[in-house]
Amino acid sequence: MSTPTVSPAVTAAAPDLRRWTPPVVEVRRTALASADLAGMEVLAVPVAPGAGPDAPLQPRPGAADAAVRYGIDLAAVCAAEQVSGAAATITRLPVPAPEGSPRRLLVVGVGDSSPTALRRSGAALARAAGTGDVVTTLADGVGAAGTRAFVEGFLLASHVPPVSGRKAAAPTTARRLVLLGEVAVADVRHAEVTAGATVLARDLAATPSNVKNPAWMTEQVREVAAGLRLKVEVRDETRLRREGFGGLLAVGAGSASAPALVQVGWTPRATPEAPHVVLVGKGITYDTGGLGIKPRESMVAMKTDMAGSAVVLAVVAAAAKLKLPVRVTGLLALAENAFGASSYRPGDVVTHYGGRTTEVNNTDAEGRMVLGDALAYADAVLQPDVLVDVATLTGAATLGLGKRHAPLYSADAALVDELLAASAATGERLWHMPLVEDYAGAIDSDVADARQVTTTPGFGAGSILAALFLRPFAGTRRWAHLDIAGTGRADGPEHEVTKGATGFGARVLLEWLESMSS
């Protein structure tokens, strides 16, 4: 994507943002012993733990060739450096580089060589390599899943969020990753697409809100869609009012930036009767809390409150790039929850698309208001086989699961199993949570179909209640809800996750969509 343009409705002094350029990934189907390594800064070779506590370290492809090339006893040097072989451990061996060889020789622990271990080892290598060009045998002979995981880990850990001014002057990550050995180019390109989806979601979520508003997000959808010939339909404020999208209109009422519902779709030409999946993303481009205003500290990260919509756009785009035989429609429910004279109020009763009504109790619970409209529209008009929403919805999501697991809500056992399998394959961790029927009465209303939140002091279960609130809008569809309030942002790096916006949800949803055609 090009450098973001500033929408007329946002601050004129918005920064000129520059986006990260990913490393070029090359495949050379040759052994390390005969490879030309001129110009490379880092050589990384894999090792694994021995079979038992006292068993020797196990060299993996390329390790023996590296030992010959550098003229060392690899086992002895690794023993002296206390190399364990555990996944994601990196050791620079203190050996001089022969002429024509990379200056730095790294041994990378790959653990059990599972996709999870290789993804984490790829991430660790990216951080250890810095700006040097990297050549490695870590993807040699590890199969499709292993190659994809390693490349994903390397690219995702390399990612730098959008920066401005002098911050963007110097590169901070590797410019090139060269993979030696038996590596399928198709698997590398696949990993570039899936990692790229996460990066797109991260970049959109990390963009400051003096650049980003609903109009700006709509522009980004158009730009992404134009390159892939995706169909886009935009419901602006006038059309939202005419068609009765009361939730979006209520949340956006206090802002100078008008709300919108953006629809973007991928339809495979070869399989027009493919299953139809609709993905709905919360797109609150900034959240002050409205009249229920947040404390200052809680507002700082609210530029990422549209992470769900970013994930949805990224997944639809990646589905098109991968030519998945699944019809995928994305709905981005876009609004800014601002504080103003026309803000919606506690005590209001809002009529959503389709006629369901909500009694407002907390203007800072705005995400479920916009999702309700989008889910109801998807159910009534788009006729999906499966409906999934993804949203930074509740702070309560982090109380039991922390910031590395996202609650998954669904009463469809088969759909839960599919999503949990995709979670295990991608490392984006989901945890199935209950839709507790006994709790539904906590959001009963005397004046509407439901309360927005419970008014019972100390009731708790905020994430469950939010899911119960959303459920009726999905009708009788197969439906799942992902609450990424904790996982959508990170306070620091961990494996392939970087600080700030994480893009969580893009890879797990892509894996799930791919599994539908396998």
Side-chain angles (χ1 to χ4, degrees):
M1 295 177 66
S2 62
T3 300
T5 55
V6 180
S7 178
V10 294
T11 306
D16 178 21
L17 297 179
R18 305 178 193 177
R19 290 186 178 169
W20 168 77
T21 300
V24 173
V25 185
E26 299 177 11
V27 174
R28 300 180 187 175
R29 296 177 65 85
T30 183
L32 175 58
S34 56
D36 179 6
L37 305 185
M40 305 304 295
E41 168 70 15
V42 177
L43 170 61
V45 294
V47 294
D54 300 319
L57 202 65
Q58 298 296 306
R60 291 292 183 257
D65 287 345
V68 172
R69 189 166 195 138
Y70 284 78
I72 60 173
D73 181 336
L74 185 65
V77 176
C78 286
E81 296 299 314
Q82 299 182 323
V83 175
S84 70
T89 56
I90 307 280
T91 306
R92 179 180 179 179
L93 299 187
V95 295
E99 185 176 351
S101 294
R103 183 172 62 87
R104 288 189 281 161
L105 174 60
L106 305 181
V107 289
V108 182
V110 294
D112 61 1
S113 294
S114 65
T116 296
L118 288 166
R119 186 180 299 106
R120 292 178 176 184
S121 296
L125 176 58
R127 293 192 173 98
T131 59
D133 289 353
V134 180
V135 59
T136 183
T137 56
L138 263 83
D140 187 4
V142 298
T147 296
R148 293 177 184 182
F150 171 75
V151 174
E152 280 180 353
F154 189 94
L155 293 177
L156 292 174
S158 298
H159 174 246
V160 176
V163 291
S164 62
R166 287 176 295 178
K167 280 283 189 182
T172 57
T173 60
R175 295 165 296 177
R176 187 167 44 142
L177 172 65
V178 177
L179 306 177
L180 300 180
E182 295 300 314
V183 180
V185 174
D187 293 327
V188 173
R189 301 300 168 236
H190 185 285
E192 289 178 319
V193 172
T194 54
T198 298
V199 166
L200 173 58
R202 286 179 182 177
D203 282 352
L204 292 172
T207 298
S209 292
N210 61 324
V211 172
K212 172 176 61 188
N213 65 3
W216 183 89
M217 276 295 293
T218 301
E219 292 170 9
Q220 305 312 298
V221 175
R222 292 191 189 280
E223 184 178 334
V224 170
L228 296 168
R229 297 183 179 179
L230 301 175
K231 183 178 180 181
V232 177
E233 183 176 359
V234 179
R235 284 173 168 79
D236 61 11
E237 185 176 21
T238 299
R239 189 172 173 189
L240 292 175
R241 196 171 304 282
R242 184 171 67 244
E243 297 181 10
F245 286 84
L248 276 157
L249 291 166
V251 173
S255 173
S257 300
L261 180 68
V262 180
Q263 180 174 325
V264 57
W266 153 250
T267 300
R269 295 179 181 177
T271 51
E273 300 304 316
H276 184 199
V277 174
V278 173
L279 304 176
V280 175
K282 172 186 171 184
I284 303 300
T285 57
Y286 195 74
D287 183 17
T288 67
L291 293 181
I293 196 162
K294 295 176 182 289
R296 177 190 60 80
E297 296 82 0
S298 299
M299 284 194 215
V300 173
M302 286 300 102
K303 65 183 179 183
T304 66
D305 208 22
M306 40 59 69
S309 66
V311 166
V312 166
L313 173 60
V315 171
V316 175
K321 290 178 182 178
L322 295 172
K323 294 181 169 54
L324 297 186
V326 180
R327 182 182 169 201
V328 187
T329 301
L331 292 176
L332 286 69
L334 304 173
E336 182 178 70
N337 189 25
F339 184 102
S342 56
S343 294
Y344 79 130
R345 297 153 295 220
D348 286 358
V349 174
V350 172
T351 302
H352 294 272
Y353 183 90
R356 186 171 174 84
T357 56
T358 295
E359 178 186 357
V360 176
N361 304 112
N362 179 1
T363 62
D364 195 21
E366 81 298 326
R368 65 201 72 187
M369 300 294 291
V370 302
L371 290 176
D373 275 359
L375 288 168
Y377 165 75
D379 175 45
V381 177
L382 299 182
Q383 303 289 310
D385 296 298
V386 190
L387 180 56
V388 177
D389 71 81
V390 55
T392 50
L393 203 61
T394 69
T398 67
L399 295 180
L401 297 181
K403 295 186 177 181
R404 290 295 183 265
H405 284 77
L408 159 64
Y409 294 94
S410 179
D412 187 313
L415 179 56
V416 168
D417 288 344
E418 292 167 11
L419 288 166
L420 290 179
S423 169
T426 59
E428 291 197 320
R429 290 168 273 186
L430 303 177
W431 193 267
H432 185 210
M433 293 284 284
L435 287 161
V436 184
E437 296 296 340
D438 290 348
Y439 293 176
I443 53 173
D444 283 347
S445 171
D446 295 330
V447 296
D449 289 312
R451 293 179 187 270
Q452 183 197 34
V453 297
T454 185
T455 57
T456 303
F459 190 88
S463 184
I464 296 174
L465 292 179
L468 288 169
F469 174 88
L470 293 175
R471 181 175 60 175
F473 292 99
T476 59
R477 304 286 171 189
R478 300 184 69 200
W479 165 74
H481 162 58
L482 307 183
D483 189 341
I484 63 166
T487 54
R489 298 180 280 267
D491 297 327
E494 181 185 35
H495 305 307
E496 72 273 18
V497 174
T498 52
K499 183 179 179 180
T502 65
F504 183 99
R507 289 184 296 114
V508 70
L509 289 173
L510 279 170
E511 178 71 22
W512 169 61
L513 291 173
E514 287 195 81
S515 74
M516 296 179 70
S517 59
S518 61

